[in-house]
Amino acid sequence: VITREQIISHLKKVIDPEIGLDIVELGMVRDVRVDENTVSLSIALTVKGCPLSATIEGDIHRILKTELGIESVSVSMTSMTREELNGVTEKLQRLRAEQKVPGRAAGMSSGIDKLDRKGIRTVIAVMSGKGGVGKSFVASLLATHLRQEGHEVGLLDADITGPSIAKMFGLRAKPSADENGVIPAQTDLGIKVISMNLLLDSPETPVIWRGPIINGVIRQLFNDVQWGELHYLIVDLPPGTGDAPLTVFQSLPVDGVVIVSTPQDLAFMIVAKAINMAKQLKVPILGIVENMSYVKCPHCGKTIHLYHDSGTQEKALSHGVDFLGCIPFDPTISDLADHGRIEGYTSSEAKELVRAMRTKVASVVQMTSATPIVWSREKSQTK
Amino acid sequence: VITREQIISHLKKVIDPEIGLDIVELGMVRDVRVDENTVSLSIALTVKGCPLSATIEGDIHRILKTELGIESVSVSMTSMTREELNGVTEKLQRLRAEQKVPGRAAGMSSGIDKLDRKGIRTVIAVMSGKGGVGKSFVASLLATHLRQEGHEVGLLDADITGPSIAKMFGLRAKPSADENGVIPAQTDLGIKVISMNLLLDSPETPVIWRGPIINGVIRQLFNDVQWGELHYLIVDLPPGTGDAPLTVFQSLPVDGVVIVSTPQDLAFMIVAKAINMAKQLKVPILGIVENMSYVKCPHCGKTIHLYHDSGTQEKALSHGVDFLGCIPFDPTISDLADHGRIEGYTSSEAKELVRAMRTKVASVVQMTSATPIVWSREKSQTK
């Protein structure tokens, strides 16, 4: 006869992929019931609807069935209360002080000049090499959807000479600053944003700076801004493989990079340069997004391929990189971007893309601070 | 009674807009016949079908009618023979040695670090600020159409980290070099091309260089390449207003810049930065091209506006810049570009655009070397 204690003992093998500790220690396992060859239990997630819940559930099934021979396993998912989350945070801070929590993944040394990540758990760069493929749009999509899931999200526009982010979110006011640094702008959803255009007197003022100055500014936008505690900081990179991406990869604690392409051979040739740059600098590539895959004719409803189909998915695989998904060209997007309402864009393709990216982050990147931040979703709902 | 001599004396007021000398001195005036109040004459152009012939013809009509009161003026256009052109060239070289030919326009000092233009008459940069709006495509269009008109044309891909030009023209072979410098690649039509991708072992190799190195390379691509005698060198700039365009504007003898935009507010905001940069650096702006204006549905034939219509033409005017024309989004373009056959693209819009740009060049830029180059159109036809 299998006991409740045996079940719990085996559940210690199930690791929360985001935090890196087992689900028993994290206090996530609830209501374990054993009835001969049937086990039911519930798991309290640190964030409701966490896309990683499927991973946890799969691991539970696998371990209980193969290792203990249990025939029927039933897992229900709930989420922790604010108080329980605070308890987890305290516990993790204590464990961390005792060095029991995994820190930065081995091999990812912090580098001579690497800036401290402070309260930022995950830094994701959006890159392409090629211009005009929709990097800023993909960065905005990631930020918006992660925020809607309840995460604390920041968005750093590292395109100093061609910054799009502020306009897309309708942000205009110059950020203020105090003795602790610059206070980022906030979008309607509560995404913290910093962009060169917020700091200029006019959005049409050109920034005619050579590389070394641009590099210093990018470091400042990361280091001198009061990001606070963030689950994700999305960094929108300019085109090319020159100064700006090099500075971001060398100076910022980037955990992974999302590559954006369009379905055109010519575009992918340049995108491949970005892939190879990330590989050379040993920045994990989370995957490739294909943007502007097709457009639907508003008159006849048929699909028009804007580009000669180039098989981005196969090309991604041939470069050993995951394919995260396609986003169609939608005139709504540029309309929303022109009117500063990009947060209003949702599509099933975008949701699927963010889910794929988020799952990939958890598998590629070993989480750094391992401290669950108290989610502000409720806060922003009650304000 | 008006004499033939009076007519010729007044025709000395008509200046060839490309060379900057009067048409009588250039030996362009032929077969002058005066019959009371009717004058007929023919003009031998230095290049057949020169788009500036309309300007010359208009000036002749204006001067003879308003200043001499002639009622009917009939002008026919022919072109000079190779021998006549050689004669003009010798004459201009002699005049130039005697300092009688206008050199660089006043106010456009050569600058401390400006490279010598050697045999290149006109340097036109194609810029946007924004990525992915079709700079390389517009640069290719200009080069192709100018070449088809019979000019000697070079194309310098100054996008070092994201070079598209070589692939668009189907060029792969590494350029050779001798003691006089690098020998540029040549397209089917005979356009001389240099691009970073021709110098790399693989087109997917990233060029991970900081600004100062990129600047040095751009100067070399201009200075250490055997361009020979060119009517036009088209320089394709990378996105942004940083190192590369700054180097091109400060180091290369740029005569004018063509700005490329798409019909999107967001794009134009970044494009305006490029406009303002060119103004600050006192580089004449030839005008703005709107690319990807619309797409025709291949299923129902109706026009689809890919972007919320943003009135690029009005915006150009509000920035005091000419609007050169629109180019529709055409899936043929990316197909041709992907297959290295961009020279095969022709459209009425493109022809109109090149004509507008070329006329504008003549009015904005005072021609520098003033030496008509012997046209190679015949040569390439007889090879």
Side-chain angles (χ1 to χ4, degrees):
Chain A
V1 178
I2 292 165
T3 64
R4 197 175 168 281
E5 284 63 40
Q6 281 178 296
I7 300 290
I8 290 176
S9 164
H10 274 79
L11 287 176
K12 287 183 181 170
K13 296 182 182 173
V14 178
I15 306 296
D16 179 301
E18 197 171 11
I19 299 177
L21 287 178
D22 75 76
I23 58 175
V24 176
E25 179 150 25
L26 286 169
M28 291 165 72
V29 180
R30 314 279 167 91
D31 311 322
V32 179
R33 278 173 210 160
V34 189
D35 185 7
E36 291 193 358
N37 247 332
T38 301
V39 171
S40 73
L41 59 93
S42 75
I43 295 293
L45 299 166
T46 54
V47 57
K48 198 176 157 188
C50 170
L52 305 174
S53 61
T55 311
I56 297 174
E57 190 173 347
D59 286 352
I60 293 171
H61 278 269
R62 188 173 47 76
I63 286 171
L64 295 187
K65 286 181 178 172
T66 58
E67 300 195 5
L68 285 178
I70 291 170
E71 281 171 12
S72 168
V73 177
S74 156
V75 180
S76 65
M77 293 287 172
T78 66
S79 60
M80 290 191 183
T81 64
R82 176 65 61 94
E83 288 67 34
E84 289 171 334
L85 268 176
N86 287 342
V88 171
T89 303
E90 278 169 31
K91 178 175 198 166
L92 285 168
Q93 282 168 342
R94 205 170 55 243
L95 284 169
R96 204 183 176 194
E98 297 164 12
Q99 299 286 336
K100 282 190 183 165
V101 170
R104 211 159 171 69
M108 293 181 68
S109 76
S110 61
I112 293 170
D113 206 13
K114 197 78 106 182
L115 295 168
D116 185 62
R117 62 170 64 228
K118 294 184 283 193
I120 303 170
R121 290 188 56 182
T122 316
V123 178
I124 296 171
V126 179
M127 188 190 188
S128 169
K130 184 92 182 69
V133 296
K135 282 178 294 298
S136 299
F137 168 58
V138 168
S140 301
L141 268 191
L142 293 178
T144 301
H145 283 76
L146 288 168
R147 180 64 189 158
Q148 281 169 344
E149 285 176 5
H151 297 90
E152 292 291 342
V153 179
L155 186 47
L156 191 166
D157 189 353
D159 191 346
I160 304 300
T161 68
S164 303
I165 294 290
K167 183 174 169 73
M168 293 172 79
F169 286 92
L171 299 171
R172 283 180 161 273
K174 269 198 184 180
S176 55
D178 61 24
E179 68 278 11
N180 297 315
V182 175
I183 298 161
Q186 287 222 16
T187 69
D188 293 344
L189 280 178
I191 300 167
K192 293 175 181 174
V193 173
I194 203 78
S195 170
M196 197 62 216
N197 258 12
L198 293 171
L199 307 170
L200 299 172
D201 288 327
S202 153
E204 296 189 351
T205 303
V207 173
I208 311 173
W209 290 340
R210 291 209 175 268
I213 302 178
I214 288 182
N215 300 334
V217 169
I218 290 175
R219 289 172 59 92
Q220 279 188 299
L221 293 185
F222 179 82
N223 210 43
D224 300 353
V225 168
Q226 299 183 42
W227 293 110
E229 300 263 297
L230 295 181
H231 294 100
Y232 294 95
L233 177 68
I234 310 294
V235 180
D236 183 23
L237 285 177
T241 53
D243 273 293
L246 193 52
T247 295
V248 167
F249 289 157
Q250 289 183 338
S251 299
L252 271 52
V254 176
D255 296 297
V257 58
V258 171
I259 307 261
V260 185
S261 188
T262 53
Q264 203 192 354
D265 282 349
L266 181 59
F268 196 88
M269 179 185 76
I270 312 286
V271 170
K273 290 178 187 274
I275 293 171
N276 290 326
M277 178 187 192
K279 285 180 180 171
Q280 282 186 27
L281 296 175
K282 303 204 190 319
V283 182
I285 298 173
L286 301 174
I288 294 183
V289 179
E290 184 185 276
N291 192 24
M292 310 189 197
S293 299
Y294 53 87
V295 64
K296 273 212 161 41
C297 176
H299 307 296
C300 67
K302 287 192 180 154
T303 296
I304 307 168
H305 289 280
L306 292 176
Y307 299 101
H308 170 75
D309 187 24
S310 73
T312 305
Q313 186 154 14
E314 292 84 68
K315 284 183 183 158
L317 294 178
S318 79
H319 283 76
V321 177
D322 280 6
F323 184 71
L324 294 175
C326 291
I327 307 178
F329 189 102
D330 184 344
T332 314
I333 295 169
S334 70
D335 204 20
L336 287 170
D338 276 356
H339 292 90
R341 297 189 285 113
I342 197 68
E343 279 181 318
Y345 185 76
T346 47
S347 75
S348 53
E349 291 94 345
K351 275 197 188 121
E352 200 38 60
L353 167 71
V354 173
R355 166 180 285 271
M357 190 279 303
R358 191 150 138 50
T359 309
K360 184 73 186 172
V361 166
S363 71
V364 168
V365 182
Q366 192 149 9
M367 289 299 141
T368 315
S369 113
T371 310
I373 301 165
V374 175
W375 311 90
S376 65
R377 181 75 173 154
E378 300 165 59
K379 197 167 57 191
S380 69
Q381 279 173 337
T382 54
K383 81 173 174 191
Chain B
V1 178
I2 291 163
T3 64
R4 196 174 169 280
E5 284 64 41
Q6 281 178 299
I7 300 290
I8 290 177
S9 164
H10 274 79
L11 287 177
K12 288 184 180 168
K13 296 182 183 173
V14 179
I15 307 295
D16 179 302
E18 196 172 11
I19 300 178
L21 288 178
D22 74 76
I23 57 175
V24 177
E25 179 151 24
L26 286 169
M28 292 166 71
V29 180
R30 314 277 166 94
D31 311 321
V32 180
R33 277 172 210 161
V34 190
D35 183 7
E36 290 192 357
N37 249 331
T38 301
V39 171
S40 73
L41 58 93
S42 75
I43 295 291
L45 298 167
T46 53
V47 57
K48 199 177 156 186
C50 167
L52 304 174
S53 62
T55 311
I56 296 174
E57 191 173 347
D59 286 352
I60 292 171
H61 278 270
R62 189 173 47 77
I63 286 171
L64 296 187
K65 285 179 178 172
T66 60
E67 299 194 7
L68 286 178
I70 291 169
E71 282 171 10
S72 167
V73 176
S74 157
V75 180
S76 64
M77 293 287 172
T78 64
S79 58
M80 290 189 183
T81 63
R82 176 65 62 95
E83 288 67 36
E84 289 172 333
L85 269 176
N86 286 341
V88 171
T89 303
E90 279 170 30
K91 178 174 196 166
L92 286 168
Q93 283 169 341
R94 205 170 54 242
L95 285 170
R96 204 184 176 194
E98 297 164 14
Q99 297 287 333
K100 281 190 184 164
V101 169
R104 211 159 171 70
M108 292 184 66
S109 74
S110 61
I112 295 171
D113 207 10
K114 196 79 102 182
L115 295 168
D116 184 61
R117 63 169 64 229
K118 296 184 280 194
I120 302 171
R121 291 188 56 183
T122 315
V123 179
I124 297 171
V126 178
M127 188 190 187
S128 169
K130 184 89 181 71
V133 296
K135 281 177 295 299
S136 298
F137 168 58
V138 169
S140 302
L141 266 192
L142 292 179
T144 301
H145 282 77
L146 288 169
R147 181 64 190 160
Q148 281 169 342
E149 287 175 5
H151 297 90
E152 292 291 342
V153 180
L155 187 46
L156 190 166
D157 190 352
D159 192 346
I160 305 300
T161 67
S164 304
I165 294 292
K167 183 173 170 73
M168 292 172 80
F169 285 91
L171 299 170
R172 286 180 160 271
K174 270 200 185 180
S176 55
D178 61 24
E179 68 278 10
N180 296 315
V182 174
I183 297 161
Q186 287 222 16
T187 68
D188 293 343
L189 280 178
I191 300 166
K192 294 175 180 172
V193 172
I194 203 80
S195 170
M196 197 62 216
N197 258 12
L198 293 171
L199 308 170
L200 299 172
D201 288 327
S202 152
E204 296 189 351
T205 303
V207 173
I208 310 173
W209 290 341
R210 291 209 175 266
I213 301 177
I214 288 180
N215 300 334
V217 169
I218 291 175
R219 288 172 58 92
Q220 280 188 298
L221 293 186
F222 179 82
N223 210 43
D224 299 353
V225 169
Q226 300 183 41
W227 293 110
E229 300 263 297
L230 294 182
H231 294 101
Y232 293 95
L233 178 68
I234 310 294
V235 181
D236 183 23
L237 286 176
T241 54
D243 274 292
L246 193 51
T247 295
V248 167
F249 290 156
Q250 289 182 339
S251 300
L252 272 51
V254 177
D255 295 297
V257 57
V258 170
I259 308 262
V260 185
S261 187
T262 53
Q264 204 193 354
D265 281 350
L266 181 61
F268 196 88
M269 180 185 76
I270 312 286
V271 170
K273 289 178 189 275
I275 294 172
N276 291 326
M277 178 187 193
K279 285 180 180 172
Q280 283 185 30
L281 296 176
K282 302 203 190 324
V283 182
I285 298 173
L286 302 174
I288 295 183
V289 178
E290 184 185 277
N291 191 24
M292 308 188 198
S293 298
Y294 54 87
V295 64
K296 274 213 161 40
C297 176
H299 307 296
C300 68
K302 287 190 181 157
T303 297
I304 307 168
H305 289 280
L306 292 175
Y307 299 101
H308 170 75
D309 186 24
S310 74
T312 305
Q313 186 154 14
E314 292 84 68
K315 283 182 183 158
L317 294 178
S318 78
H319 282 76
V321 177
D322 281 6
F323 184 70
L324 294 175
C326 292
I327 307 178
F329 189 101
D330 183 345
T332 314
I333 295 169
S334 69
D335 204 20
L336 287 170
D338 277 355
H339 292 90
R341 297 189 288 112
I342 196 69
E343 279 182 318
Y345 185 75
T346 47
S347 75
S348 53
E349 292 94 343
K351 273 196 190 123
E352 200 39 59
L353 167 72
V354 173
R355 166 180 286 271
M357 190 279 301
R358 191 150 138 51
T359 308
K360 185 73 184 170
V361 166
S363 72
V364 168
V365 182
Q366 194 151 7
M367 289 300 141
T368 315
S369 111
T371 309
I373 301 164
V374 175
W375 311 92
S376 65
R377 180 73 172 156
E378 301 165 57
K379 196 169 56 191
S380 68
Q381 279 173 336
T382 54
K383 81 174 173 188

